[in-house]
Amino acid sequence: MPEAANTTQSIVDVFLDNFNVFWNYFLVSMKKFDPMNPFWIITMICLITFTLELILPKKQPYSPVGRKNFLLDLFYVLFIDVIFLSIGFFAFTNAVSWGFEKIVVAAGGHIPLVDISLPANLKWLEFIIFFILVDFAQFFGHWLLHRVEFLWKFHKIHHAQETLGFASTRHFHWGEMLVFKPLLYIPFSLLGLDVTSYFAYYLWFGLFLTFFSHCNVDIDFGFLNRIFITPQTHYWHHAKNIPGRYGVNYASSLSIWDQLFGSYYLPKDKKLKPVLGIPDNDVPDSFLGQFLHPFMVLFGRKQKQSTIGGKEVRETKGKK
Ligand SMILES: [Zn+2]
Ligand SMILES: [Zn+2]
């Protein structure tokens, strides 16, 4: 149908336009330091969390630099935050949002569907609402990554890590982003939220928490564990010696979601330590091996192992 052909062509145009916008933005950004620019925010968060990891007491008995995967994790930061974005993920997300909005309008709706944007003097409140909505979407997406066998094949790359450090948060398969990030940002155009005015604050806060939660630091965060994710709770998310089939502590920034939905776990006995990794780990050590691994399993080139959560191990060890 001519209309469908036009729509397809338009999505490609939107993709290419955004691709160019991203590249120009990236090249200009790199030349001048700006603490509110995403690339500089990520660079500074890496430096801050790496410094914290160096100076604070260690949870695991390895050095932040000498541990296995230190360089691989740094490469993952470069891959996810620069290479993958630059080859089109940013453009892909915008093109999907654009296509989704077209469908809403074609179905008789209008954009935004419900306008919850607030006036300029209440943008701080709009930021809090945005943060809570995004964080819940992240929590739910992460919950699904652990429960849907197809998605777990991709998310398993993040959980196969047996040592963690600040950059381990970016050690995940890019396939996760293709599914979840567009879904995450579509609702905001439907709600009339123009996030550009506060997106940098979101990055500073959200990225700091996620990078820091992977740091190899041994501190008791006390009541803060009940509000934000911390290395204390997130290391249990990476543990293979936990109760239950699907894991615990899915939160991305706010641990309130885990408490509301019953997935919060932090043993009172501080002598209990998380053993990081997954049972029957069949994930290769190399970047390329990990890049291909989910597809090799899906297309039958690799024997299927380690089904969701490693039921046998998780159900037989530890009690809340
Ligand atoms: Zn997970
Ligand atoms: Zn993690």
Side-chain angles (χ1 to χ4, degrees), residues 93-139:
T93 304
N94 282 351
V96 170
S97 283
W98 179 89
F100 189 77
E101 287 176 11
K102 282 271 177 199
I103 292 169
V104 170
V105 171
H110 57 86
I111 302 295
L113 264 182
V114 185
D115 189 353
I116 64 164
S117 63
L118 294 171
N121 62 334
L122 287 175
K123 281 293 164 191
W124 61 271
L125 182 59
E126 190 181 305
F127 168 68
I128 292 172
I129 294 168
F130 166 80
F131 193 91
I132 290 171
L133 288 175
V134 171
D135 203 51
F136 177 71
Q138 300 258 32
F139 168 83

Side-chain angles (χ1 to χ4, degrees), residues 183-312:
L183 288 178
L184 206 61
Y185 292 106
I186 285 169
F188 302 112
S189 55
L190 298 184
L191 296 174
L193 296 177
D194 176 17
V195 302
T196 47
S197 61
Y198 44 76
F199 196 66
Y201 298 102
Y202 166 72
L203 287 182
W204 261 114
F205 194 56
L207 285 181
F208 173 79
L209 285 173
T210 181
F211 273 79
F212 185 57
S213 70
H214 290 80
C215 280
N216 178 23
V217 299
D218 192 13
I219 296 175
D220 185 356
F221 289 88
F223 76 96
L224 288 176
N225 286 313
R226 293 276 177 182
I227 306 168
F228 304 112
I229 60 160
T230 66
Q232 226 176 335
T233 50
H234 196 69
Y235 268 56
W236 280 106
H237 177 68
H238 279 268
K240 50 185 165 188
N241 58 330
I242 48 174
R245 182 175 177 185
Y246 299 111
V248 293
N249 301 343
Y250 303 109
S252 184
S253 294
L254 302 171
S255 64
I256 51 170
W257 307 120
D258 284 304
Q259 291 163 83
L260 279 174
F261 293 95
S263 49
Y264 182 80
Y265 178 73
L266 186 62
K268 286 197 175 70
D269 182 357
K270 295 288 181 290
K271 287 195 210 94
L272 275 174
K273 296 286 178 196
V275 180
L276 305 181
I278 48 175
D280 306 322
N281 186 0
D282 62 339
V283 174
D285 284 339
S286 70
F287 176 79
L288 187 62
Q290 292 173 6
F291 189 101
L292 297 174
H293 184 72
F295 305 108
M296 302 282 274
V297 175
L298 283 168
F299 297 112
R301 293 294 173 99
K302 230 172 182 344
Q303 212 184 350
K304 290 178 184 175
Q305 286 183 29
S306 182
T307 52
I308 292 174
K311 183 181 182 183
E312 296 78 11

Side-chain angles (χ1 to χ4, degrees), residues 12-29 39 85-92 94:
V12 173
D13 290 343
V14 172
F15 177 89
L16 292 175
D17 284 350
N18 278 287
F19 183 84
N20 288 330
V21 167
F22 176 86
W23 256 111
N24 290 333
Y25 177 71
F26 176 69
L27 293 175
V28 171
S29 304
F39 299 102
L85 282 177
S86 64
I87 59 173
F89 174 69
F90 173 79
F92 170 77
N94 282 351

Side-chain angles (χ1 to χ4, degrees), residues 142 145-146 152 155 158-159 234 237 250:
H142 194 183
L145 287 172
H146 280 258
W152 171 248
H155 191 50
H158 184 60
H159 280 270
H234 196 69
H237 177 68
Y250 303 109

